[in-house]
Every structure is written in C-alpha cells, then in structure tokens.
Amino acid sequence: MDEMNQEVSGMKEFSAGDIVTGKVVKIEDKQVLVDVGYKVEGIVPISELSSLHVEKASDAVSEGDELTLQVKKVEDDEIVLSKRAVDADKAWEDLEQKFEDSEIFEAEVKDVVKGGLVVDIGLRGFIPASLVETYYVEDFEDYKGKSLTLKVVELDREQNRVILSHRAVVEEEESSKKQEVLQSLEEGQVVEGTVQRLTDFGAFVNLGGIDGLVHISQLSHEHVEKAADVVEEGQTIKVKVLSVDRDNERISLSLKATQPGPWHDIENKVKQGEVLEGKVRRLVSFGAFVEVLPGVEGLVHISQISNRHIGTPGEVLEEGQDIQVKVLDVDESAKRLSLSMKELEREQTRSEIKQYEKEDDSSGFSLSDMIGDKLDKYKN
C-alpha cells in the first residue's frame, strides 16, 4: 500500500491549459495515445491532431514521435490533450511576425476547396483563387501537394482567419525584375524578347520583366497593314531600343532597325542599264518617284519622262500607275536611283526604225531616203 501511495504521489499533476511533452505509444483510427507521465496514457482525439481535416490519425503522427501538447481536460482516469492548440498558438505568433515583416515563406497546398487553396501552417491558411496567380486559373487540382511561396495579407486571431497570397510574391518579384531590366536598357541596344500581344498599333514585346512597344511603323521597312502580317504571339525576336522612359516605364523598340534595309546591297539587286517594272508613288514638280522594289524608290526626272517637252509630270503620269523604267544610275550610299522612261521610248523607236529599214532593203531605196535627216537624232 505504501509503495502504491509513493507511486501515485510521484505522478505528475496536470491542469487544463498546461503544456506537456510526451511520446506517442499507440495510434488508433480516431485517436492517439501518448505517455506524458500521468497515471494513465493521454488521449489526443483525431480532431486535436491538426488544424486541417485528418482522415486517420496515422496521417498526422507516427508511433514514437515526441509531441508538445496542451492539456484540455483532466480526470482521474482520463487526460485529454491537443496538438492542434499548441501548433496554433505557435503558428499565430510566427504568422504575426511574418505579417509585420512582410516575410515571404513557403508552404505546401494540402487541399483544393471551393474558392481557393488550403495550406497547413500550424493552423488553417487560406489562399483565395484571386490571390493564387497574376493570371486566371481555371483548374486548381494540379496545385495539391505543390509548395508555394506566400505572404500573409490578412490576420484575425479572434475569427481564426488567415489569408495568404502567392500572387503578392509573384508581383513583388516581377516589379523587382522590371526595375532591374528598366535600369539596364540603353538607347541603341539590340536585345532579344518574346512577342507578348498584338494590337492595332503594333506589338508588345516582353524583355524579361517588362514589355516594350514595337510601333507598327517599326515592324518592317515595308508598309504594314497589321502587326500579325509580320510577327505572332510567342515568337522570339531581336529588337533595337529606340528610347527608354524610366519615369513612366515606357520602352520604344524597333524590329526593322535590326534587319537589312531595302537599300542594303542595292547595287547587286539593281544594275545600271536594267529595265524594271515599277509603280508611280509620288508626283513632284521635278519628276516622279517610282517604287521598283519594296521600299526602294527611284526618281524619273521630268527631263527623262518623255521625248517631247512637258510642263509637269502629271501630263504623262498619275500616281499608282504601273510603268517600265530604265536604270541610269545606282548610288547605294546616297540611297539614290536615277531612272528614265525617255530612254526606253528612244530604244523602242530605234528598234522600229531598224525594222522598217530591214523591210525596205528589198525595194530600191531606204526609209532614210524618204525622211532624211529627221531620223538622225534617234540613231545617235
């Protein structure tokens, strides 16, 4: 009897609210038995194992685990303990510090529920669907079991409310990256980017943290009706930086500046003396500008339009008209092309005269005998 009294007197005394430590000695479906030095083994109901729903106790703890627990109820033949209460108190302190410091931390997604994601951070943390990513996510099933970087955006201990955001972390990273790229860009640089989206006025190109605009006039050396005629979303391209407005975070880019211009190597594309098809683009007082290759216009001086005297180019030509011209001179460095219609007209006349002379050889006299010196100007 004395030994029994000594043994009982040696037992620890516990009160509700006490924090104790013990070892898991047995795991049952709906509870865990823990040795905490009391006269009976302590019981941790499955509902007190975790802040999240647990199907079976073995999902939360293993036999032999050392646990820190809070005493919920004490009776002679029973002591009820809670792991969840200790974890929650610790988690609240930790989260309050994280919230104050705007700390970024990592947690695993435990469940996908209506309206967002649930994570276990010692208590139940909720990530609303709108705070998961910076873009719309249709199906969140792939997020289960995935670790996300998070920030605390709202805490209410009385309401047991913990709102977390992964989106805030991504936006912070993107903002930092944007400033880094913005500071590194200089006018005249050639950089690589990805076409992000197309608009009526051009294409936005992502430079690895910030978008720059390639205006439609800077997409090609040729006239462009719509951006989709030149580039497509997702395409990787090289662009030249035209200007950087760091205050307003605006970047102007050019695709055509990275490509050979229409006048590049023009002396090998167009030869002196060659006859070309062209379109009259502009009429001016001193002649007509004719496009002979995309982006390449040459001048037919008014003196080279016709063999007869004309007062204005409009007497013979009109804008949009297709004509043939002869190349008189090519100057790549000056981007100048001299063209002539009169030379072609002369050559055609000479050809006609030669044909007449050939036909007249069989008669006893030549065409020149009939019209004399009038032909001399076409033979020279």
Side-chain angles (χ1 to χ4, degrees):
M1 192 69 176
D2 289 339
E3 286 179 6
M4 186 179 294
N5 289 334
Q6 286 176 3
E7 189 177 331
V8 171
S9 64
M11 289 289 177
K12 295 178 183 176
E13 292 294 327
F14 296 110
S15 300
D18 287 351
I19 303 299
V20 300
T21 58
K23 180 185 281 189
V24 176
V25 293
K26 188 176 181 182
I27 298 176
E28 298 176 354
D29 281 347
K30 299 301 178 183
Q31 64 182 24
V32 172
L33 301 182
V34 183
D35 180 7
V36 291
Y38 193 58
K39 56 187 175 183
V40 291
E41 290 169 343
I43 299 170
V44 184
I46 193 169
S47 61
E48 294 297 330
L49 281 173
S50 172
S51 59
L52 303 182
H53 174 71
V54 178
E55 286 292 336
K56 51 185 188 293
S58 58
D59 290 339
V61 295
S62 300
E63 202 168 300
D65 283 356
E66 291 282 350
L67 304 180
T68 301
L69 307 160
Q70 185 184 81
V71 178
K72 302 295 285 184
K73 184 173 71 171
V74 183
E75 295 178 356
D76 284 344
D77 58 349
E78 184 182 69
I79 178 169
V80 179
L81 308 165
S82 173
K83 177 177 179 294
R84 179 171 65 89
V86 174
D87 291 345
D89 283 341
K90 211 167 159 187
W92 276 112
E93 290 175 13
D94 184 48
L95 283 172
E96 284 164 357
Q97 191 62 51
K98 283 180 166 60
F99 187 40
E100 189 178 324
D101 298 340
S102 293
E103 184 183 332
I104 295 171
F105 58 97
E106 203 168 288
E108 183 181 323
V109 176
K110 293 296 184 182
D111 203 4
V112 176
V113 296
K114 186 178 180 180
L117 308 174
V118 173
V119 296
D120 182 9
I121 44 178
L123 46 84
R124 187 181 188 274
F126 183 60
I127 312 170
S130 61
L131 297 183
V132 177
E133 300 288 359
T134 55
Y135 51 86
Y136 174 72
V137 178
E138 188 171 348
D139 185 2
F140 287 100
E141 282 305 318
D142 289 343
Y143 283 81
K144 192 169 183 179
K146 182 179 177 182
S147 287
L148 295 178
T149 48
L150 303 164
K151 286 184 77 171
V152 181
V153 293
E154 188 181 333
L155 277 181
D156 188 334
R157 194 162 184 169
E158 287 183 8
Q159 298 292 325
N160 199 34
R161 180 181 173 87
V162 180
I163 304 300
L164 308 171
S165 174
H166 174 60
R167 176 177 178 168
V169 177
V170 175
E171 288 177 338
E172 192 174 296
E173 290 172 349
E174 287 179 349
S175 177
S176 176
K177 183 66 176 173
K178 180 189 285 189
Q179 288 304 315
E180 186 182 322
V181 175
L182 198 59
Q183 295 305 316
S184 70
L185 289 175
E186 296 293 341
E187 187 177 322
Q189 266 184 303
V190 174
V191 293
E192 194 170 79
T194 304
V195 178
Q196 200 74 3
R197 58 193 174 93
L198 305 180
T199 68
D200 292 339
F201 51 85
F204 284 96
V205 179
N206 185 277
L207 304 177
I210 189 170
D211 288 352
L213 173 66
V214 181
H215 190 267
I216 196 164
S217 63
Q218 292 295 326
L219 282 170
S220 174
H221 291 288
E222 301 176 32
H223 175 71
V224 177
E225 288 290 340
K226 55 183 186 293
D229 292 338
V230 182
V231 293
E232 59 184 23
E233 289 183 5
Q235 183 180 349
T236 300
I237 58 174
K238 285 188 176 180
V239 288
K240 185 174 183 178
V241 179
L242 298 182
S243 66
V244 181
D245 182 346
R246 293 185 174 86
D247 292 335
N248 295 301
E249 297 185 351
R250 289 179 182 169
I251 304 166
S252 296
L253 306 169
S254 174
L255 176 60
K256 76 177 183 182
T258 66
Q259 301 171 336
W263 286 89
H264 177 70
D265 201 30
I266 192 67
E267 290 175 351
N268 287 320
K269 298 175 188 173
V270 175
K271 304 289 186 182
Q272 187 175 352
E274 190 176 359
V275 177
L276 303 172
E277 296 282 342
K279 186 180 288 288
V280 178
R281 291 299 184 190
R282 290 176 293 140
L283 296 178
V284 292
S285 60
F286 53 85
F289 286 96
V290 179
E291 187 178 48
V292 294
L293 289 174
V296 176
E297 291 183 3
L299 173 66
V300 182
H301 190 269
I302 192 168
S303 64
Q304 293 294 326
I305 290 178
S306 176
N307 279 303
R308 65 183 176 84
H309 175 74
I310 58 172
T312 65
E315 293 176 29
V316 178
L317 300 171
E318 58 183 30
E319 291 182 359
Q321 183 180 347
D322 292 320
I323 61 172
Q324 281 194 326
V325 289
K326 184 175 182 178
V327 180
L328 300 181
D329 186 51
V330 185
D331 187 339
E332 182 175 335
S333 60
K335 294 184 179 179
R336 189 170 59 229
L337 203 58
S338 297
L339 308 172
S340 175
M341 293 172 62
K342 185 168 75 173
E343 282 296 311
L344 287 180
E345 189 181 330
R346 283 181 173 178
E347 287 176 6
Q348 185 178 359
T349 303
R350 289 194 192 102
S351 176
E352 289 172 353
I353 291 171
K354 286 181 181 178
Q355 184 61 33
Y356 281 129
E357 286 179 340
K358 186 175 180 181
E359 291 174 358
D360 289 344
D361 280 347
S362 57
S363 61
F365 55 91
S366 67
L367 183 62
S368 59
D369 292 334
M370 298 175 64
I371 58 177
D373 294 339
K374 291 181 181 178
L375 298 177
D376 291 343
K377 65 176 181 177
Y378 295 114
K379 293 182 179 180
N380 296 328

